[in-house]
Amino acid sequence: MHPADFDAPMPSVLQVPDEDFARAYDAAPDGYRAALKTCIAALHVLYGEPLLPRSETFALPRSGMAYARAERVAPWTLVVIDESFRSAPRLLAALMPALCAAVPDVRVIRLAPATTPWPDQLLVALELAGQEVAGSLDTVDIGRFVAGLREAGRGRLLCLGGAASFAVLCRAAIEADIPVWHDGGTPRVVIVEDEGVDAALVRWAHGVARMAAGDVHDDVAPSLAEMPAAGKYPPAAGATGFPVTGHVCDAVFCGSASASLWATRARLVLTSSREGCWAFPDLTPDFFSERSLTIGRHVPATYFPPEMLHG
């Protein structure tokens, strides 16, 4: 690691050197790189073209009301992960909406000492996404980081993981009127392996998740059984399960035939050949938009000045 010349809001951040990205990329098996490329492509298609600054006015003469609306992209986004975070697809799922929204300044920060190596799978994901502005921030420097955050304008803060330091970051961001999105739980993942799902690839891509084996029987709701962290897969009959009510899990990897059945029980359903993918249904490019609304009898069009349109 070497000191970076990052501007505010990122003082005390040590940037990942280019050689670390290159080494991680070369060391990754072709199949894993291909899975992450598929994840990036899927998110690009899902989120579409970048958001463009726009404004509009409209009047309703009969009601005596007129409105003006304006919209632009937020000037910056920080994606912050904790030291234990390992999931490349989940990192991409948080990063890509910001990139697809054309946020002008996107940076990834890992809360860890500078001497702690980044997980290779995360560096490969960032390299494939074209996101090489990434660095480490020691938790002892959180105070200086927060001070810079308050001076940086109304960007966006995304946090992945369960680090206690996130409480300080999120509180500071909220006090500065910076929107925060946080995914801190351990995902609950179901694998329906007998429907053509590559379970080994799921475990590589989502290894920190709590996993379970699933199956679907004709005219019977999907069933779940705990998958042990190690040992026989699928688990032996009689293994404990968690109740199938509501969104019992965060993601299901299954075949196309049973996808509609699982969709009522999971926030995300990924069919075979999408084992290396992830998406957060509640995080879209709209989160990165700044909006203004004017209401009156007669209102002029609203335009953001050029310096605000480019962060």
Side-chain angles (χ1 to χ4, degrees):
M1 294 280 183
H2 59 78
D5 57 349
F6 286 144
D7 299 325
M10 294 176 52
S12 307
V13 173
L14 296 179
Q15 186 171 3
V16 179
D18 291 342
E19 53 266 30
D20 284 8
F21 283 105
R23 177 196 51 76
Y25 184 87
D26 292 340
D30 291 343
Y32 294 161
R33 287 203 301 262
L36 294 179
K37 289 179 181 177
T38 299
C39 180
I40 293 169
L43 293 168
H44 263 301
V45 173
L46 177 63
Y47 298 127
E49 295 298 318
L51 299 173
L52 297 176
R54 61 186 179 184
S55 62
E56 63 177 349
T57 60
F58 58 97
L60 303 173
R62 292 182 62 184
S63 66
M65 291 290 181
Y67 304 87
R69 290 190 295 214
E71 183 175 319
R72 70 177 179 100
V73 70
W76 55 265
T77 291
L78 300 180
V79 181
V80 186
I81 61 176
D82 67 19
E83 186 174 351
S84 65
F85 189 84
R86 294 290 186 277
S87 174
R90 288 172 63 212
L91 176 57
L92 290 172
L95 175 66
M96 292 305 297
L99 297 182
C100 289
V103 175
D105 188 358
V106 180
R107 309 182 185 200
V108 179
I109 300 175
R110 184 171 182 243
L111 297 181
T115 55
T116 304
W118 276 62
D120 281 356
Q121 60 266 42
L122 300 186
L123 294 180
V124 173
L126 294 175
E127 174 83 9
L128 290 171
Q131 176 65 39
E132 296 186 11
V133 182
S136 295
L137 176 70
D138 198 308
T139 54
V140 300
D141 292 319
I142 288 290
R144 292 178 60 195
F145 181 93
V146 167
L149 193 67
R150 293 192 179 103
E151 302 297 325
R154 197 171 189 268
R156 299 293 187 270
L157 177 65
L158 311 180
C159 297
L160 290 164
S165 302
F166 284 159
V168 177
L169 285 176
C170 292
R171 184 166 55 250
I174 292 170
E175 290 174 353
D177 192 31
I178 295 170
V180 176
W181 180 91
H182 183 204
D183 180 70
T186 299
R188 297 164 299 170
V189 171
V190 171
I191 303 174
V192 188
E193 191 172 6
D194 60 1
E195 294 186 350
V197 174
D198 185 341
L201 181 53
V202 174
R203 294 190 191 98
W204 172 83
H206 313 281
V208 297
R210 176 189 175 194
M211 297 191 181
D215 61 82
V216 178
H217 305 286
D218 291 342
D219 301 322
V220 178
S223 60
L224 307 176
E226 279 297 319
M227 180 187 298
K232 182 180 178 182
Y233 177 83
T240 59
F242 40 86
V244 185
T245 57
H247 283 154
V248 69
C249 57
D250 296 294
V252 171
F253 294 87
C254 64
S256 298
S258 65
S260 60
L261 292 174
W262 286 108
T264 62
R265 292 167 172 81
R267 295 177 179 86
L268 178 66
V269 178
L270 296 155
T271 60
S272 53
S273 80
R274 297 295 181 267
E275 290 88 347
C277 295
W278 196 271
F280 294 108
D282 63 339
L283 181 63
T284 69
D286 281 347
F287 178 72
F288 304 92
S289 292
E290 288 284 282
R291 296 180 175 89
S292 169
L293 175 64
T294 303
I295 303 175
R297 290 183 61 85
H298 304 284
V299 297
T302 301
Y303 299 98
F304 289 106
E307 63 270 18
M308 294 185 68
L309 297 180
H310 301 287

